[in-house]
Amino acid sequence: MRDLISIEDLSAADLVSVLELADDFAEVQARDMPKVPALRGRTVVLAFFEDSTRTRTSFDIAARRLSADVVNFSAGASSLKKGESLRDTIETITAMGVDSIVVRHASSGVPTMISQWTDAAVVNAGDGWHQHPTQALLDCYTIRERMNLVEGEQPFAGKRIALVGDIKHSRVARSNAQAFTKLGAEVVLVAPQTLLPSSIVGWPVSVEASLDDVIGDLDVAYFLRIQKERMGAGLLPSDREYRTRFGLTVDRAQYLRPDALVMHPGPMNRGVEIDPEVADDPRAVVLGQVANGVPVRMAVLYSVLGPGRFDEQDAPTESEGQAEPAGDPMATASPSADAAVASGAVGA
Ligand code: NCD
């Protein structure tokens, strides 16, 4: 596969292979010089048409740690402001010879459209309410790491995970429900009726109206942000009422199992989805999720651009005259290693 648009496109085996590759890149992260030449000579454009702190920064760091060249495209400072269409913008970027476009956009489906306009590998960094596949992958990585679940293609079998809160507007909920169930977990949605999707036909989940009824029986309690920027009026009576029924309050956290994980994709509204004291509880792994975003996104970029891509048939061959990345993605990018790769001495 050349693009990563949706978790739907990945099998359980694909998910596991990205997580295993991320293990290798996590090992690179721990080195004094956390950089490898795996994507040397490749250019990655970060095209974010919607705000982002952690996703953009972590793709940027991930690409640089693979020695790719990174271009930050800023929609607000581009010719889109002068009326250029999205298609012309993407074709313009592509004409400069980029290898991958990482896209975030407020409208669902934009990464799919872009993939039809460019030969570059498209990675979805969040589109509307639709999908956020790298968030799902880094969340799977975090659960697997914290619970030590490394066996087979169904490592989450027997685990019960609740996605709590604003499911309706959440691309994270859609991606994560698919990824968690593909890996064998049971997923339950816990939300007020107004924040559930109008239909959950096709969602591999059950629904519960009361957080208190399920909280003591969860392996993972995953809280979603109340996404006011996507919400019409009248869906929530007040933040206070929401917190009382669906927030992880200090009182409610007492009923969570001692070995349960508390997760949130960020940005958190402390005091709404999660009380400030609980956000700092040892069971909360929110910063661990952020940290894992880097090796997981290294694994994704390497999977779509490196020789280890999902679909080997798409990989450029030497006869096409393209520079291949180094054969060993974990080889350190020291000046001497770089020189060796440039001279063709190391698996290029
Ligand atoms: C999420 C997003 O943008 O979809 N954040 C993130 O990428 N970490 C979730 C959110 O905004 O609530």
Side-chain angles (χ1 to χ4, degrees), residues 92-280:
T92 301
I93 294 173
T94 304
M96 296 180 208
V98 307
D99 299 291
S100 178
I101 305 178
V102 178
V103 189
R104 169 168 287 195
H105 201 283
S107 298
S108 301
V110 165
T112 309
M113 271 161 50
I114 289 179
S115 70
Q116 288 155 10
W117 301 331
T118 181
D119 292 337
V122 175
V123 178
N124 183 359
D127 63 327
W129 307 0
H130 174 226
Q131 279 277 322
H132 194 350
T134 58
Q135 180 71 41
L137 284 162
L138 74 89
D139 289 330
C140 290
Y141 189 84
T142 304
I143 293 170
R144 171 178 168 275
E145 173 196 49
R146 298 295 167 127
M147 295 189 167
N148 217 2
L149 310 172
V150 288
E151 289 302 311
E153 284 183 17
Q154 297 279 287
F156 291 8
K159 301 294 175 199
R160 192 161 198 233
I161 304 178
L163 296 171
V164 185
D166 185 1
I167 316 279
K168 185 183 176 89
H169 304 100
S170 176
R171 52 197 175 208
V172 175
R174 286 169 179 78
S175 309
N176 285 27
Q178 289 169 358
F180 293 160
T181 52
K182 281 186 187 207
L183 294 181
E186 177 201 339
V187 172
V188 47
L189 307 182
V190 185
Q193 194 65 37
T194 50
L195 295 183
L196 280 172
S198 50
S199 161
I200 58 155
V201 174
W203 286 58
V205 297
S206 58
V207 179
E208 285 282 347
S210 161
L211 182 53
D212 291 323
D213 286 353
V214 295
I215 192 138
D217 190 27
L218 297 175
D219 295 284
V220 178
Y222 194 110
F223 292 85
L224 295 159
R225 186 172 64 87
I226 294 295
Q227 292 158 92
K228 293 212 168 120
E229 76 279 14
R230 306 209 171 110
M231 210 177 264
L235 292 185
L236 271 186
S238 69
D239 285 354
R240 224 176 81 195
E241 190 159 338
Y242 177 85
R243 172 182 169 273
T244 310
R245 290 187 52 213
F246 295 98
L248 189 59
T249 59
V250 173
D251 283 348
R252 195 167 272 133
Q254 296 170 31
Y255 297 99
L256 264 178
R257 295 201 329 235
D259 61 341
L261 298 181
V262 174
M263 301 178 75
H264 193 298
M268 277 189 286
N269 294 307
R270 287 181 183 242
V272 183
E273 297 106 46
I274 196 159
D275 278 4
E277 300 84 341
V278 190
D280 301 323

